[in-house]
């Protein structure tokens, strides 16, 4: 990208520019200083660099926007806020943050609250980032030309996530409050942050406090990196950039950033937009990076062909090959994605898994980052987000992640069908699918989206994930719409119409972003309009209800057969604790199973099953000798006692699913299948 000219600035603040933003910008946040906060003086803050001159010139463009803007000005006067991020001791894993707030000439302002969010967008579990904050201090800094010595300000922690700083009543005009703290980060993740001897990779939500009631104000960020470490993120527009401006705190934290000496950058251009593939490999690449870039280009071409060219000038795939066997994530952002693979690019299935994640994350450019449920932006970070729409935002994205890989020629038909079958199996084999709907799964995201649980839960038996559930709804809805309209419309049209209505054409509902969020009923209405018939019964049964989706009917629309086969001829309903090899300890009992009815429980040892010594390795072979209805004697050890238990073998509960071509498919069905698979 180029230095901010009129076009760029308009784009940046197409995310709304309100009156207060304009005033804020005009007051000169755009300085190009790169100094440690301790050395920042009022004079330095006012140095007019070439960059700031350009920036101020460009504000003339924004003035036109201001006249057109209809966004209401908040009662809270905006503050000038700048963040300074340093990392002088990488091996300590401590980021050092200073937040500089220029104090307004307002004697009634006697304190400011600074808050760490409890969670961050895209990962809905509550992680309480404040737990890693330490050494919070504050002082007031003098304005330029004044020689004054000020004592440290009083900082009081007032709750688990908030620090209150008292402000001197008799202060000079132009004084600033400097809040500083350290924050620990040693997780390479789409949500957390990592600072170590190799790199700094941060997600702003777990690093930057916001100024309470001023999250909407524009912010600047200055990064002081170790020598020879280079900074890159989805808002980088020039080499060696360390200074960034954001329209608000939310967008700053939407910009994950990598800082290290050895990342690589490959790029390609589509529709005049530049796509960067920034890779930090912590393992061998096996010469696969050029092919990866070419395949990412195919994915971008395919997804932009469905949606139309995106509104940004550039986008960054920020990819880590962690090579540690456990760091794994994918996180969507407005102009970037953070992808972390646990392996090395040159090894195992890492290459394929990277493309799978990228196809999903890039689809989020539209679905969830811009077209979004009403609750997803701006956010309240004092409590978890509750939305019914994650089956759309994540589940339908999961469906398109797979479909787009097929359309891009990365997945064969067989592999695409296999991916769909696996998702269907995830849902249909789960006892939770009879208890929890797609909408309810979305609402309990804070419990199931990688949430840590110190207390044992029964969620494995009572919940489903909105990822596979939304994917199964997505594919069935897509194929039924294609069938109802004889191939004239599809879920592609539903998604595009949603994007148009709620993002492109809606007035801005908040400071955060263009357009407004949708309600669950909106999706049902638009899907019905596209299908040409009322789909309320479908949504009642399969989205708000827990009925099994009409898979046979859906796949038949495109000349495919949906095949369901038992995984085993009988069911017992137990899984083995694989850590125990020479005896059989029950890891889990399925609630609707013979084992549950027979009174077996977790941690029971089954020593004999029908007279055979049971071990994890012979479970399948042992139970397969029986048929449903057979009564089998077990010898069970529980808490030092031996129990004799009779179990009645059950009908199969677990199934394998398969999607295959129907040799008798009509020409119309085959034509619709080709359109579905090829996106024509
Ligand atoms: Zn890195
Ligand atoms: Zn996602």
């Amino acid at each position: 990208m180029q230095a901010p000219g009129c076009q760029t600035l308009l784009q940046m603040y197409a995310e709304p520019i309100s009156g207060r933003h304009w005033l804020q910008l005009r007051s000169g946040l755009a300085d190009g200083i790169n100094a440690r906060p301790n050395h920042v003086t009022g004079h330095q803050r006012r140095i007019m660099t070439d960059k700031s001159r350009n920036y101020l010139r460009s504000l003339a463009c924004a003035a036109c926007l201001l006249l057109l803007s209809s966004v209401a000005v908040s009662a809270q006067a905006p503050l000038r806020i700048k963040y300074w991020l340093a990392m002088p001791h990488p091996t300590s894993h401590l980021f050092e943050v200073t937040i500089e707030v220029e104090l307004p000439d307002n004697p009634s302002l006697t304190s400011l609250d600074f808050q760490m969010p409890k969670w961050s967008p895209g990962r809905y579990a509550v992680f309480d980032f404040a737990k890693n904050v330490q050494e919070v201090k504050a002082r007031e800094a003098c304005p330029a030309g004044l020689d004054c010595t000020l004592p440290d300000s009083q900082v009081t922690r007032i709750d688990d996530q908030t620090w209150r700083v008292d402000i001197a009543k008799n202060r000079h005009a132009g004084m600033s409050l400097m809040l500083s703290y350290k924050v620990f980060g040693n997780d390479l993740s789409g949500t957390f942050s990592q600072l170590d001897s190799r790199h700094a990779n941060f997600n702003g939500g777990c690093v930057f406090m916001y100024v309470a009631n001023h999250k909407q104000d524009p912010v600047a960020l200055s990064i002081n990196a170790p020598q020879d470490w280079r900074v890159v993120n989805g808002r980088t527009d020039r080499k060696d950039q360390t200074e960034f401006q954001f329209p608000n705190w939310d967008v700053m934290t939407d910009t994950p950033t990598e800082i290290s000496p050895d990342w690589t950058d490959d790029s390609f251009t589509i529709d005049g937009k530049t796509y960067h593939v920034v890779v930090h490999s912590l393992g061998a690449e096996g010469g696969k990076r050029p092919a990866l870039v070419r395949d990412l280009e195919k994915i971008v071409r395919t997804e932009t062909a469905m949606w139309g060219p995106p509104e940004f000038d550039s986008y960054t795939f920020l990819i880590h090959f962690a090579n540690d066997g456990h760091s794994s994530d994918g996180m969507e952002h407005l102009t970037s994605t953070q992808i972390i693979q646990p392996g090395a690019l040159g090894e195992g299935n890492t290459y394929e898994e990277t493309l799978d994640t990228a196809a999903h994350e890039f689809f989020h450019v539209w679905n969830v980052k811009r077209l979004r449920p009403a609750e997803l932006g701006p956010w309240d970070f004092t409590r978890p987000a509750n939305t019914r729409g994650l089956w759309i935002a994540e589940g339908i994205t999961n469906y398109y992640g797979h479909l787009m890989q097929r359309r891009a020629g990365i997945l064969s038909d067989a592999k695409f069908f296999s991916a769909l079958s696996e998702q269907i199996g995830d849902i249909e084999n789960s006892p939770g699918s009879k208890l929890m709907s797609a909408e309810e799964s979305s609402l309990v995201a804070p419990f199931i989206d990688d949430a840590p649980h110190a207390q044992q839960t029964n969620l494995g038996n009572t919940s489903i994930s909105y990822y596979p559930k939304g994917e199964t709804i997505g594919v069935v809805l897509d194929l039924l719409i294609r069938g109802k309209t004889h191939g004239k419309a599809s879920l592609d049209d539903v998604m595009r119409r949603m994007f148009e209505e709620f993002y492109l054409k809606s007035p801005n509902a908040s400071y955060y972003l263009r357009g407004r969020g949708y309600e669950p009923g909106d999706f049902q209405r638009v899907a019905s309009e596209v299908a040409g018939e009322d789909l309320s019964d479908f949504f009642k049964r399969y989205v708000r209800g827990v009925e099994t989706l009409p898979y046979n009917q859906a796949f038949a629309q495109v000349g495919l057969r949906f095949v369901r086969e038992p995984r085993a001829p009988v069911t017992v309903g137990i899984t083995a604790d694989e850590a125990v090899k020479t005896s059989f300890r029950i890891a889990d009992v399925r609630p609707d199973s013979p084992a549950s009815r027979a009174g077996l429980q977790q941690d029971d040892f089954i020593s004999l099953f029908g007279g055979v010594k049971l071990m994890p390795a012979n479970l399948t072979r042992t139970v397969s000798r029986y048929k449903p209805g057979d009564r089998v004697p077990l010898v069970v050890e529980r808490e030092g006692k031996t129990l004799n238990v009779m179990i009645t073998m059950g009908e199969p509960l677990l199934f394998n699913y398969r999607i295959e071509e129907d040799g008798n498919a009509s020409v119309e069905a085959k034509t619709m299948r080709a359109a579905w698979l090829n996106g024509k």
Side-chain angles (χ1 to χ4, degrees):
M1 271 167 73
Q2 293 147 5
C6 192
Q7 190 184 356
T8 314
L9 195 81
L10 290 180
Q11 206 152 40
M12 184 175 172
Y13 291 95
E15 298 139 331
I17 181 160
S18 66
R20 62 200 147 79
H21 291 159
W22 159 246
L23 292 171
Q24 174 70 36
L25 291 165
R26 199 164 59 98
S27 63
L29 261 179
D31 49 8
I33 311 298
N34 184 12
R36 291 289 304 279
N38 286 343
H39 306 143
V40 178
T41 65
H43 174 66
Q44 279 178 308
R45 285 198 300 275
R46 283 160 188 77
I47 288 174
M48 180 69 85
T49 63
D50 284 349
K51 183 186 148 211
S52 59
R53 267 192 292 273
N54 286 338
Y55 191 75
L56 289 173
R57 267 202 298 273
S58 70
L59 290 174
C61 313
C64 338
L65 252 197
L66 174 63
L67 296 174
L68 300 172
S69 172
S70 61
V71 177
V73 177
S74 149
Q76 280 286 351
L79 296 172
R80 297 170 57 182
I81 303 170
K82 182 159 186 174
Y83 288 76
W84 308 82
L85 181 69
M87 48 212 81
H89 307 293
T91 52
S92 70
H93 316 299
L94 289 169
F95 291 95
E96 298 190 4
V97 180
T98 299
I99 308 174
E100 177 186 358
V101 182
E102 188 160 316
L103 295 170
D105 188 15
N106 173 6
S108 65
L109 184 71
T110 55
S111 67
L112 279 175
D113 288 352
F114 295 82
Q115 216 158 35
M116 281 301 279
K118 284 187 167 286
W119 61 283
S120 69
R123 181 73 63 217
Y124 298 98
V126 173
F127 291 118
D128 286 315
F129 301 128
K131 70 176 75 161
N132 272 347
V133 169
Q134 63 188 67
E135 299 170 62
V136 182
K137 296 175 190 153
R139 64 184 171 87
E140 290 181 28
C142 295
L146 267 183
D147 184 19
C148 56
T149 308
L150 297 164
D152 282 356
S153 306
Q154 176 72 35
V155 181
T156 309
R157 191 169 188 157
I158 59 168
D159 63 26
D160 58 338
Q161 65 177 137
T162 314
W163 286 259
R164 177 163 294 165
V165 183
D166 292 339
I167 298 170
K169 286 200 177 88
N170 300 319
R171 57 182 180 264
H172 298 288
M175 288 184 67
S176 292
L177 180 68
M178 311 287 277
L179 180 94
S180 65
Y181 58 91
K182 296 176 184 171
V183 59
F184 179 89
N186 194 22
D187 293 282
L188 184 54
S189 149
T191 299
F192 308 118
S193 297
Q194 184 165 65
L195 173 63
D196 62 21
S197 58
R198 306 166 303 177
H199 66 172
N201 181 276
F202 71 81
N203 295 288
C206 63
V207 172
F208 299 124
M209 294 186 194
Y210 51 84
V211 184
N213 301 317
H214 289 274
K215 198 157 61 68
Q216 69 277 14
D217 296 351
V219 294
L221 169 64
S222 176
I223 298 173
N224 190 351
Q227 194 174 10
D228 299 329
W229 288 24
R230 297 169 296 136
V231 179
V232 65
N233 61 38
R235 306 263 165 176
T236 297
D237 57 15
R238 63 185 182 280
K239 198 168 175 287
D240 299 326
Q241 184 175 349
T242 56
E243 304 276 326
F244 301 88
Q245 274 89 31
F246 303 96
N248 50 63
W249 181 94
D250 304 73
V251 174
M252 178 170 72
T253 58
D254 183 75
T255 309
T257 298
E258 166 69 8
I259 310 166
S260 60
D262 53 348
W263 49 263
T264 56
D265 181 7
D266 298 275
S267 62
F268 54 86
T269 303
I270 296 174
D271 299 324
K273 321 285 184 184
T274 306
Y275 293 87
H276 295 275
V277 181
V278 171
V279 172
H280 193 197
S281 274
L282 304 172
E285 293 191 338
K288 289 186 173 178
R289 186 152 47 85
L292 180 74
V293 175
R294 285 196 298 276
D295 276 343
L296 286 173
E297 183 173 352
K298 287 182 198 165
I299 287 169
V300 170
R301 267 186 208 289
T302 306
E303 300 196 7
T304 53
M306 173 182 150
W307 289 102
E311 62 182 352
F312 45 63
D313 288 335
S314 76
Y315 180 92
T316 301
F317 291 92
L318 180 50
I319 305 175
H320 274 81
F321 296 105
N323 197 29
D324 63 3
H326 65 87
S327 298
S328 174
D329 213 341
M331 191 56 72
E332 65 277 7
H333 299 281
L334 283 163
T335 56
S336 64
T337 176
Q338 170 114 274
I339 294 174
I340 294 146
Q341 292 293 332
L345 175 57
E347 293 169 6
N349 294 326
T350 299
Y351 185 93
E352 291 74 16
E353 286 165 2
T354 307
L355 292 177
D356 191 52
T357 307
H360 174 107
E361 301 304 334
F362 190 65
F363 199 83
H364 276 316
V365 162
W366 297 271
N367 194 28
V368 92
K369 288 314 300 181
R370 290 174 175 81
L371 169 64
R372 58 200 186 273
E375 299 82 5
L376 296 191
W379 299 267
D380 176 354
F381 291 108
T382 63
R383 57 181 185 168
N386 281 150
T387 174
R388 295 176 185 275
L390 289 179
W391 71 270
I392 303 169
E394 286 297 351
I396 286 185
T397 297
N398 227 39
Y399 165 55
Y400 274 105
H402 291 133
L403 179 57
M404 289 295 167
Q405 288 180 81
R406 166 59 191 83
R407 288 184 184 172
I410 288 166
L411 289 184
S412 63
D413 287 359
K415 284 197 168 162
F416 172 53
F417 295 159
S418 168
L420 288 178
S421 305
E422 196 177 311
Q423 303 288 314
I424 292 169
D426 267 6
I427 291 300
E428 299 308 327
N429 287 324
S430 161
S433 68
K434 303 294 180 288
L435 301 175
M436 183 174 279
S437 70
E439 285 198 353
E440 194 183 356
S441 173
S442 306
L443 288 171
V444 301
F447 304 154
I448 62 176
D449 189 20
D450 263 1
H453 298 288
Q455 165 197 34
Q456 282 204 36
T457 75
N458 199 26
L459 287 166
N461 291 319
T462 60
S463 67
I464 49 165
S465 162
Y466 42 81
Y467 285 86
K469 183 63 181 179
E471 177 156 4
T472 58
I473 294 171
V475 63
V476 168
L477 191 58
D478 192 5
L479 298 183
L480 291 180
I481 292 173
R482 287 171 189 274
K484 286 175 197 298
T485 61
H486 300 282
K488 291 191 179 62
S490 70
L491 191 62
D492 297 11
D493 298 297
V494 177
M495 301 310 290
R496 284 189 289 249
R497 280 178 63 165
M498 289 286 291
F499 182 63
E500 188 176 308
E501 179 174 340
F502 293 96
Y503 187 74
L504 295 178
K505 292 190 172 169
S506 278
N508 296 348
S510 76
Y511 70 87
Y512 167 60
L513 194 63
R514 186 173 177 173
R516 67 185 172 95
Y518 58 83
E519 305 290 341
D522 292 321
F523 192 84
Q524 178 180 319
R525 171 179 56 76
V526 173
S528 297
E529 286 167 8
V530 170
E533 68 174 64
D534 180 10
L535 294 177
S536 54
D537 185 58
F538 180 95
F539 280 79
K540 181 173 165 236
R541 292 167 68 180
Y542 310 120
V543 175
R544 294 187 295 280
V546 296
E547 288 188 46
T548 304
L549 282 155
Y551 299 111
N552 289 315
Q553 185 194 348
F555 286 107
Q557 308 299 318
V558 289
L560 295 173
R561 291 177 60 229
F562 180 65
V563 183
R564 187 180 90 141
E565 289 169 341
R567 281 193 188 168
V570 292
T571 293
V572 178
I574 50 175
T575 56
D577 179 350
E578 297 286 346
V580 180
K581 300 289 182 200
T582 54
S583 58
F584 190 100
R585 182 160 76 183
I586 297 178
D588 191 42
V589 176
R590 190 176 161 118
D592 54 351
S593 69
S596 173
R597 287 190 286 275
L600 296 178
Q601 67 178 27
Q602 187 183 45
D603 294 335
D604 282 350
F605 282 87
I606 301 178
S607 46
L608 293 174
F609 193 106
V612 173
K613 178 173 166 51
L614 198 62
M615 289 177 288
N618 69 1
L619 174 67
T620 305
R621 191 169 65 244
T622 305
V623 303
S624 295
R625 295 186 297 149
Y626 300 97
K627 60 184 186 307
D630 285 351
R631 287 168 59 77
V632 183
L634 311 187
V635 177
V636 175
E637 309 294 334
R638 178 186 296 167
E639 294 163 2
K641 294 184 182 138
T642 300
L643 309 173
N644 291 301
V645 174
M646 190 64 78
I647 192 168
T648 303
M649 304 296 274
E651 297 288 341
L653 284 175
L654 299 179
F655 296 87
N656 290 324
Y657 295 88
R658 203 171 67 242
I659 296 161
E660 58 186 30
E661 286 195 35
D662 179 354
N664 298 319
S666 67
V667 172
E668 186 190 17
K670 286 182 183 169
T671 305
M672 282 201 284
R673 188 199 310 159
W676 172 50
L677 295 175
N678 297 308
K680 299 280 165 48

